[in-house]
Amino acid sequence: MTQPEQRKLVDRFGRVHNNLRISVTDRCNIRCFYCMPAEDVQFLPKQQLLTFEEIERVARIGVTLGIDRLRLTGGEPLVRRDLPVLVRALSDIRGIVDIGLTTNGILLPALAQPLRDAGLRRLNISLDALDPEVFRRVTRRDGYEQVLEGIEAARRAGFSPIKLNAVSVRGLTEDQIEPFGRLARETDTVVRFIEFMPLDADSQWQRERVLYAAEILQRLERAFGPLRPVPAEGPATAAVTEDALPGLAADELLPQLPQSTTGKAPAEDYEFADGRGRIGLIASVSQPFCASCNRFRVTADGRLRNCLFSHEETDIRELLRSGAADSAIAQAMLDCIAAKGEGHEINTARFLQPQRPMYAIGG
Ligand code: SAM
Ligand code: SF4
């Protein structure tokens, strides 16, 4: 058991956790194939969701343990009624220096300004394709036009730069890389390409469908000229070597991004050498950043998770609803972080996809 006097979210590997991701709902208004089933999703009943008051209490307790950054996510966080009320309450917590939100953007036309007014400063909008047909194949729903309107609404509300998250999937989104590159070069938009991770509800993930960050980088450089890494902070990320991949044959070594000039982690952000535009590469599969992970999660139904890929959870809803003291909830957080594993193991033969898919964890 962790000593309470330690009172910081530091794990066995010395990683300090200051970033809490809070899922506010598991519901969503679209059905991205890499996250949700197409039909018949069983959503949590409302009474199982943490209330705004409970979420605020969790955040306040987190702050006493060193949390200073929050991100709201889901499911689709904007389908949770009165979300700006929660954003206001969280931004009023002393010790929180940054609140972000990840959204599919569909409800942003109505909500971008109220969220901004409530204190939200950082917004990531997920859009995997600039081609409406590809968008529909990914999301299995309509909504492309609303997302574009949502992006504009975010711009008008003062979110700048606009940050887009694009999951990259081999055989589906290759053709979108150049148009996204152009968008990044011609507008105030940072596009962050994310490797497809094994968190889909249908457990259909296959390594062959991961479009690797290094390939995306190559494609962008071919189209627009050299990209240079923007030096990253934090400890070095281990390169994926043959040793780390007992599940793969030697000729299947994963393509790696060039190291940043600082010799630290492979840079997540790159800028075009001519100074026009910036992109991000999130190589969660080919170059895991577990070594510098500072993230900690609470699901919409009040389970603490120390990793996206964890197989264990800590139920704090029960504690919250049974009159537990703040110190007991703090201890549950400390214990959860103390039990965190070294890394996600996607690239080993030991890997087992977690039972909860992405929408039920909170991405
Ligand atoms: N609904 C919101 C959205 O889509 O932005 C927030 C929740 S979503 C789970 C958070 C992020 O996770 C999104 O950018 C989404 O594209 C990403 N994501 C979901 N499933 C993924 C997967 N299997 N691999 C990689 N990224 C994934
Ligand atoms: Fe919904 Fe986001 Fe999952 Fe897509 S990635 S289904 S928008 S929760």
Side-chain angles (χ1 to χ4, degrees), residues 9-263:
L9 296 167
V10 184
D11 70 8
R12 291 175 292 153
F13 306 94
R15 294 172 295 198
V16 181
H17 294 74
N18 67 333
N19 187 324
L20 179 64
R21 296 172 84 95
I22 301 171
S23 173
V24 296
T25 181
D26 60 342
R27 286 169 195 262
C28 189
N29 39 9
I30 54 176
R31 296 286 182 274
C32 306
F33 77 90
Y34 47 67
C35 175
M36 276 207 164
E39 308 292 341
D40 302 327
V41 193
Q42 292 295 314
F43 292 115
L44 292 164
K46 189 164 180 264
Q47 64 275 19
Q48 291 191 20
L49 300 182
L50 293 190
T51 63
F52 284 178
E53 291 72 24
E54 287 167 337
I55 292 174
E56 190 186 334
R57 185 172 172 212
V58 170
R60 283 185 189 281
I61 296 169
V63 167
T64 67
L65 301 174
I67 294 290
D68 61 4
R69 277 153 216 279
L70 303 176
R71 176 163 292 269
L72 300 178
T73 181
E76 172 46 40
L78 302 197
V79 304
R80 177 89 186 238
R81 192 184 299 199
D82 295 330
L83 191 70
V85 173
L86 177 65
V87 170
R88 167 52 61 206
L90 295 175
S91 23
D92 284 346
I93 297 177
R94 190 196 290 243
I96 295 294
V97 297
D98 183 56
I99 303 184
L101 174 95
T102 307
T103 172
N104 64 28
I106 289 178
L107 297 176
L108 272 180
L111 283 167
Q113 191 65 55
L115 287 166
R116 182 91 188 165
D117 295 344
L120 188 71
R121 290 292 171 268
R122 293 205 305 120
L123 187 64
N124 286 64
I125 305 172
S126 302
L127 178 63
D128 303 326
L130 289 172
D131 174 336
E133 275 311 302
V134 181
F135 174 90
R136 201 164 204 301
R137 283 174 66 196
V138 172
T139 62
R140 305 181 286 197
R141 293 291 185 277
D142 296 327
Y144 177 76
E145 294 299 332
Q146 286 104 302
V147 181
L148 294 194
E149 284 167 30
I151 293 172
E152 281 319 306
R155 236 188 263 286
R156 277 197 305 277
F159 290 99
S160 172
I162 295 289
K163 290 195 173 171
L164 299 185
N165 284 2
V167 177
S168 301
V169 183
R170 193 181 301 285
L172 186 58
T173 66
E174 286 95 334
D175 290 352
Q176 304 306 303
I177 296 171
E178 276 188 38
F180 273 130
R182 211 164 293 124
L183 186 75
R185 287 171 63 72
E186 291 171 3
T187 65
D188 178 28
T189 309
V190 178
V191 184
R192 301 158 83 230
F193 298 92
I194 307 175
E195 289 179 350
F196 174 24
M197 295 182 281
L199 289 167
D200 54 318
D202 301 325
S203 294
Q204 294 298 307
W205 182 88
Q206 290 172 313
R207 181 171 297 286
E208 298 69 49
R209 301 215 68 195
V210 181
L211 184 53
Y212 291 116
E215 296 174 67
I216 296 171
L217 183 75
Q218 268 177 7
R219 278 176 183 262
L220 288 168
E221 290 195 318
R222 263 205 305 272
F224 305 110
L227 275 154
R228 58 180 177 228
V230 178
E233 289 172 14
T237 305
V240 178
T241 64
E242 201 174 332
D243 283 353
L245 296 167
L248 296 179
D251 60 355
E252 287 180 295
L253 281 184
L254 307 181
Q256 301 284 289
L257 291 168
Q259 297 290 319
S260 80
T261 45
T262 59

